[in-house]
Amino acid sequence: MTRARTLKSRQKSKQDSSTLDIHAVARKANVSIATVSRTINRIPTVNAKLAKRVWAAIDELDYVPDTQARALGSGRSGMLGLVVSEITNPFFPELIQRFEDVAIENGYEILISSTNYDPKRMELGIQRLLQRKVEGVAILTFGLEQPLFQKLADRKIPLVFVDVGPDRPGISLLKIDYAHGIRQGVQHLAALGHRKIGFVSGPMALHSAQSRSTAFLKALDECGIEVRPEWQVEGDHTLGGGIRGMERILDCSSRPSALVCSNDMIAIGVLHKAYHVGIRVPSDLSIIGFDDIQIAKVMFPPLTSVQMSRIDLANAAVKALKAHIEGNNPLREYKIDTHLVVRQSTDYPPGAFGEKKPS
Amino acid sequence: MTRARTLKSRQKSKQDSSTLDIHAVARKANVSIATVSRTINRIPTVNAKLAKRVWAAIDELDYVPDTQARALGSGRSGMLGLVVSEITNPFFPELIQRFEDVAIENGYEILISSTNYDPKRMELGIQRLLQRKVEGVAILTFGLEQPLFQKLADRKIPLVFVDVGPDRPGISLLKIDYAHGIRQGVQHLAALGHRKIGFVSGPMALHSAQSRSTAFLKALDECGIEVRPEWQVEGDHTLGGGIRGMERILDCSSRPSALVCSNDMIAIGVLHKAYHVGIRVPSDLSIIGFDDIQIAKVMFPPLTSVQMSRIDLANAAVKALKAHIEGNNPLREYKIDTHLVVRQSTDYPPGAFGEKKPS
DNA sequence: CTGTTAGCGCCTTCAA
DNA sequence: TTGAAGGCGCTAACAG
């Protein structure tokens, strides 16, 4: 069966006569390719002398192993997928950065897919993740339709969701304690004397937006503050959503003295609109955001916000995925805390002292 | 030499008896794997009837071709690398998003690598790009040390740089016309009556920061405005850089009435610091940013900024890379325009009317 | 502990 | 136009 040793030379762009592959290294180091492979993979049973020769050869040739081939041979792609809603919302880059760092620390590469709230786009993204044979996927979209992830689940790819997800093996949840931070926010406002508090929510189709809204209503109740439906407006988690939300508030017959927002982008939109119509923050209106993104602290005034740690989120996500992949008894749920960061967008309600009402 | 047909069963996690690979599809469609491959790759010579059968089989089995294997077989990874400085600077996500969109439209996947201004991190990132066998890399870091990209160049991987880069085949440049937008900015200030104009630069190690600074000085000269070295302060392209830059300006014996900033993050930092010490914008101090990131327009006051189109940048980068990869006479340079967007952070200098100086 | 060798899943020439 | 079969570069039994 020995066939003519056809000098391998397909149309591919071979630079020199021999390709810079594991064979070249093996030749140079005078060992077998298996030894080279073992050395690269840091398998401890390799003779130190040989290993040194191998590394030297690698160095000299400037050899870089081909990840694709490695993945094919080993059956492990070494990639984690990360699905986010919208990369242009500053919350996500901060999350992505941390996720990437942690993933790399753990020997994984990441493949990012941003859905932009578009199911079609999301489906394509998932298709790509599938094709690249990701070993696990963190879906940090905060509530987009889960049916779309069915394909991933079908292939038994470990998954991490935020808040809620199917109760099946291979799936973990990052349970965010919205209630805690939001309660702190409402209590903070109540302590300042606010009784007229509104809420600009995210899209109610998003579970996370619902949770925040619910947490707000509950906190209001706990403080014995009346809920005014008119002051519960729905936006989306963008600047525009905040601006439109504020416009809705402006239309109210009577206006709230404080507004809690479902995320910082909304809060910034609200703030912007407020100034635009001459409402001063915090003297006329107190505002609380959610997420505590980086720019929150340099807004004018610096935004009081409920912080949700991107670091904790990313850490937990990678940790969960890794546990699933390696079979190290992954947890079903990972708790993520939230807490209030008080800055200057909240203050006493107007007229709290001496009824000085702005005209 | 015929060896026992060992039922393929390495430790790998095979789900069922047969893997869901191209063979399964071929079997189901009653064709050879070659035909399946051709069908998937949309090679026109495939009989329509067969193709239909193949697609049906693919659909039924929910088959997804393995990109890794495909890459190995074809020698094309289908990936483009994108190196950015700092994913948490809002300028970059806007760029990344567009780059990704365009890349996908053109059949490429992207691999992002953010350097965080850290050479070590950058080297690791490049290593990863190499391992993944990217077909081209856009280095949109605006000026980090190029020697680090030697490895990419050595392997003849098509490269795109911003502003400057080695003049070699396979390398294109995105030439940004900083001068135009910055001149507009300075002229705008001059027209308002400003004669005392300072500049908060980015790190001068960055070519793009130098270019902006140079463009500023040139524009000043063109307007016949005196350059005051004390008012040229160096920062970095972050919020902190802006805050520190403003602190340096505050230390000056006499203060400028307007400040041009090397990017929006600096401008926002400056704005923040200014308010912090009671300087009003734009009545006491006019500020111009650069980049025109999304949040610039919702700052208080909305930031006047020199816009550099992320869309144009991303489009040109992918276009250049694609031209190189496919050998379609790529251009050496692609021009990117900049222009001023006037908002409310610029106004007449203090005392322009009736010498009303704030105490 | 090292070397030999059979795949991994696909692409692509080659012969039919 | 289709099918058969040899790589692509690497990993991981298996035998020594």
Side-chain angles (χ1 to χ4, degrees), chain A residues 189 192 194 255-259 271 274-275 278-287 300-302 343-353 355-359, chain B residues 280:
Chain A
L189 291 173
L192 288 169
H194 290 274
R255 292 183 195 155
S257 63
L259 235 30
L271 184 60
Y275 274 114
I279 294 176
R280 312 296 310 211
V281 176
S283 50
D284 300 337
L285 177 70
S286 286
I287 296 179
F300 181 75
R343 298 209 181 82
Q344 283 111 65
S345 67
T346 44
D347 203 345
Y348 301 107
F353 299 108
E355 313 307 296
K356 281 184 281 186
K357 283 196 187 121
S359 62
Chain B
R280 313 294 311 213

Side-chain angles (χ1 to χ4, degrees), chain A residues 160-332:
Chain A
V160 171
F161 286 99
V162 171
D163 296 337
V164 292
D167 189 355
R168 267 188 279 162
I171 296 183
S172 285
L173 266 33
L174 304 179
K175 280 283 194 184
I176 298 175
D177 186 2
Y178 299 104
H180 183 244
I182 289 180
R183 180 184 299 118
Q184 285 186 324
V186 171
Q187 286 175 347
H188 167 64
L189 291 173
L192 288 169
H194 290 274
R195 309 293 296 170
K196 297 155 65 179
I197 310 178
F199 187 80
V200 184
S201 80
M204 294 311 262
L206 261 60
H207 185 273
S208 71
Q210 269 183 48
S211 300
R212 295 173 202 199
S213 180
T214 306
F216 169 75
L217 294 173
K218 183 146 170 273
L220 228 49
D221 185 57
E222 286 171 6
C223 292
I225 296 176
E226 185 200 358
V227 174
R228 186 106 159 222
E230 187 180 29
W231 292 339
Q232 313 293 313
V233 311
E234 181 174 347
D236 56 38
H237 280 156
T238 66
L239 288 174
I243 292 173
R244 285 187 294 278
M246 186 63 193
E247 284 165 353
R248 299 261 309 273
I249 292 291
L250 292 172
D251 286 342
C252 294
S253 49
S254 145
R255 292 183 195 155
S257 63
L259 235 30
V260 176
C261 302
S262 191
N263 79 348
D264 282 347
M265 291 306 268
I266 288 182
I268 293 171
V270 165
L271 184 60
H272 177 70
K273 185 70 191 176
Y275 274 114
H276 197 71
V277 298
I279 294 176
R280 312 296 310 211
V281 176
S283 50
D284 300 337
L285 177 70
S286 286
I287 296 179
I288 293 185
F290 193 105
D291 281 348
D292 190 27
I293 58 181
Q294 198 197 354
I295 52 164
K297 67 168 73 64
V298 294
M299 292 306 293
F300 181 75
L303 204 61
T304 294
S305 183
V306 176
Q307 149 150 40
M308 164 165 56
S309 167
R310 262 78 75 205
I311 294 182
D312 292 350
L313 257 178
N315 285 346
V318 175
K319 188 173 168 185
L321 252 22
K322 197 184 182 194
H324 277 115
I325 293 169
E326 299 177 351
N328 293 329
N329 65 292
L331 271 52
R332 163 69 181 165

Side-chain angles (χ1 to χ4, degrees), chain A residues 3 8 19 21-22 37 41 63 65-66 70:
Chain A
R3 80 179 38 235
K8 57 175 176 178
T19 334
D21 59 8
I22 202 173
S37 175
N41 290 305
Y63 164 76
D66 182 330
R70 226 189 312 201

Side-chain angles (χ1 to χ4, degrees), chain B residues 25-87:
Chain B
V25 178
R27 225 174 299 132
K28 182 141 204 132
N30 254 317
V31 293
S32 71
I33 60 165
T35 299
V36 177
S37 176
R38 291 191 190 104
T39 305
I40 291 172
N41 290 307
R42 304 201 131 75
I43 289 178
T45 64
V46 181
N47 182 308
K49 276 216 154 58
L50 291 192
K52 193 167 289 180
R53 284 221 311 269
V54 171
W55 284 121
I58 287 176
D59 214 61
E60 209 165 324
L61 295 174
D62 210 15
Y63 164 75
V64 176
D66 182 330
T67 314
Q68 327 271 9
R70 224 190 310 201
L72 235 204
S74 67
R76 300 181 8 84
S77 69
M79 302 234 245
L80 296 182
L82 173 55
V83 183
V84 298
S85 316
E86 191 193 16
I87 196 178

